[in-house]
Amino acid sequence: MKKIIVTGKGGVGKTTIIATLSRLLAREGHRVLVIDCDPSMNLAMSLGVSLSDVLPLAENKANIHAKLELDLDDEHAHENGNEIEIDEVIEDYIVETKDGVKLIVMGTIPYGGSGCLCSSIALVKLLIGYIASGDNDFVMVDSQAGVEIFGRGLASEFDFTLVITELMPKAIEVTRHVMTLSRDLGVKKQIVIVNKVEDGTECETISRELGLNADQMYSVRCDKKVIEADKKGLLILDYAPQASVVEDIQRIKEEILEG
Amino acid sequence: MCEFVVYLEENGSKEREVVARKIIKAKKRDGKTVLMDTSGNVTPVEHVSIEVVDTLMQELILRKER
């Protein structure tokens, strides 16, 4: 099983790319589980599912807590990690989406002053530890924008960090920071995906700024069809399967399969 | 994880009462358990022990000492 985390500055196109990438992998018969850790919770919609059909983890912590036997009342309960049937614990929270991609949504901040996301991220981290022994080919985490989730160590020992960026100074700075933290966590490979590329010079500039090798960088072309699809509430893979953006994400999929 | 709700449980009872919210630090001092919240307010609680620290549920549970 390969574990992939996807992040980047807000608004760079992270959710569109992870939704499309996960579906392309699933179309080839790979078992893909995507975990939406972004409190804006847009991934469900990007995979063709209404949020009302999703049961977020954060709203059901007590139930999961009980199923994972985290009360620790039985001192022998966790001596053998295989005793927990993780599929039974998370089955209520998995939604099957387009092309068979399975989705879990971490959840959001329910009301002002309700506290931080730390405990929800800790729960996802715990679940990923269990899920790692399951039968998925890929577990992909859609991170909240920025670097917070790396500070929490959620991506520790992952196979790939995909950092989505664009030719904007702030986005490049976030990318630089993410790559540093990702290396700290022992992620095996960091890939920078330059989104909304118009003439290719964006990649040269970002490559120079970040000191990247060619095999660390992929470009996704700017495509008006993405915006058209978004405005119509459609998914790019359904609206324009021949779009250049889909073609570019196909190349990223190949890298992930080979890497 | 960053902030706890602190509950007090009576021995032998599953009922619990909220002692303090938004607690960021708990410390034993002079036989008391002292709780500090995000505003720096301090709540001392006497004759209790810290029973559970649960970051997933963001709970810290105190139990009355016999």
Side-chain angles (χ1 to χ4, degrees):
Chain A
M1 188 190 75
K2 286 180 179 170
K3 290 184 285 186
I4 301 165
I5 187 158
V6 184
T7 191
K9 188 181 172 299
V12 292
K14 181 169 59 74
T15 303
T16 300
I17 288 177
I18 191 171
T20 308
L21 180 59
S22 61
R23 289 181 62 188
L24 291 174
L25 286 165
R27 281 184 177 185
E28 292 193 355
H30 301 290
R31 290 162 297 190
V32 184
L33 172 66
V34 182
I35 305 175
D36 185 2
C37 288
D38 190 336
S40 60
M41 300 198 295
N42 289 325
L43 187 56
M45 202 182 286
S46 296
L47 285 167
V49 173
S50 167
L51 256 186
S52 59
D53 295 331
V54 175
L55 206 52
L57 298 175
E59 293 171 25
N60 298 277
K61 273 189 287 190
N63 186 28
I64 298 166
H65 193 275
K67 284 188 173 177
L68 288 174
E69 299 172 22
L70 295 176
D71 289 337
L72 303 177
D73 289 335
D74 176 359
E75 65 177 305
H76 301 295
H78 290 264
E79 284 179 0
N80 181 352
N82 295 328
E83 287 175 6
I84 298 292
E85 292 293 339
I86 191 64
D87 290 342
E88 289 177 17
V89 174
I90 61 175
E91 63 184 356
D92 293 342
Y93 309 100
I94 292 182
V95 179
E96 188 151 326
T97 70
K98 293 266 185 177
D99 296 312
V101 173
K102 290 182 285 181
L103 170 71
I104 293 176
V105 174
M106 179 183 78
T108 189
I109 299 162
Y111 56 91
S114 63
C116 61
L117 283 170
C118 302
S119 65
S120 299
I121 294 172
L123 179 59
V124 171
K125 194 174 167 184
L126 182 70
L127 290 176
I128 287 173
Y130 285 115
I131 289 167
S133 60
D135 61 359
N136 296 293
D137 298 314
F138 294 93
V139 171
M140 304 174 77
V141 175
D142 182 13
S143 159
Q144 63 191 119
V147 298
E148 164 74 12
I149 210 159
F150 286 84
R152 299 275 165 214
L154 188 141
S156 184
E157 307 293 329
F158 269 37
D159 297 279
F160 288 96
T161 296
L162 305 184
V163 199
I164 320 297
T165 193
E166 60 184 335
L167 189 56
M168 297 286 179
K170 291 174 187 170
I172 294 170
E173 280 314 306
V174 169
T175 304
R176 190 194 311 276
H177 197 184
V178 164
M179 292 189 75
T180 302
L181 300 182
S182 173
R183 277 191 290 268
D184 291 344
L185 290 176
V187 178
K188 295 181 183 72
K189 187 162 188 178
Q190 288 91 33
I191 294 175
V192 172
I193 298 170
V194 184
N195 197 16
K196 307 174 191 175
V197 168
E198 292 184 347
D199 60 13
T201 57
E202 298 94 332
C203 294
E204 291 168 23
T205 305
I206 291 173
S207 173
R208 197 169 51 246
E209 284 276 333
L210 299 174
L212 298 173
N213 299 322
D215 68 339
Q216 288 179 284
M217 178 177 271
Y218 284 79
S219 60
V220 174
R221 283 167 282 180
C222 187
D223 195 330
K224 285 181 183 169
K225 289 203 164 37
V226 174
I227 298 166
E228 288 173 19
D230 223 13
K231 283 182 177 172
K232 292 174 190 288
L234 297 172
L235 315 178
I236 185 66
L237 202 49
D238 302 325
Y239 178 69
Q242 308 301 324
S244 62
V245 66
V246 175
E247 193 181 313
D248 293 338
I249 296 171
Q250 285 275 13
R251 288 188 296 111
I252 299 165
K253 181 206 70 185
E254 296 302 327
E255 166 67 29
I256 286 168
L257 288 172
E258 289 168 14
Chain B
M1 196 141 83
C2 304
E3 300 171 17
F4 289 98
V5 178
V6 180
Y7 297 93
L8 177 62
E9 286 187 357
E10 299 278 350
N11 273 316
S13 169
K14 287 190 175 179
E15 289 189 8
R16 58 192 194 177
E17 63 174 289
V18 176
V19 175
R21 296 181 188 275
K22 298 187 176 181
I23 294 302
I24 54 170
K25 187 163 184 169
K27 187 177 181 178
K28 278 280 188 187
R29 195 175 68 202
D30 302 329
K32 297 174 187 170
T33 299
V34 182
L35 309 168
M36 179 185 282
D37 70 15
T38 50
S39 301
N41 298 318
V42 171
T43 306
V45 190
E46 292 185 311
H47 311 303
V48 295
S49 58
I50 294 174
E51 189 74 6
V52 178
V53 179
D54 187 337
T55 63
L56 282 183
M57 300 305 293
Q58 294 175 285
E59 294 176 352
L60 193 152
I61 299 173
L62 306 176
R63 182 156 294 174
K64 278 198 173 169
E65 290 172 338
R66 293 177 184 177

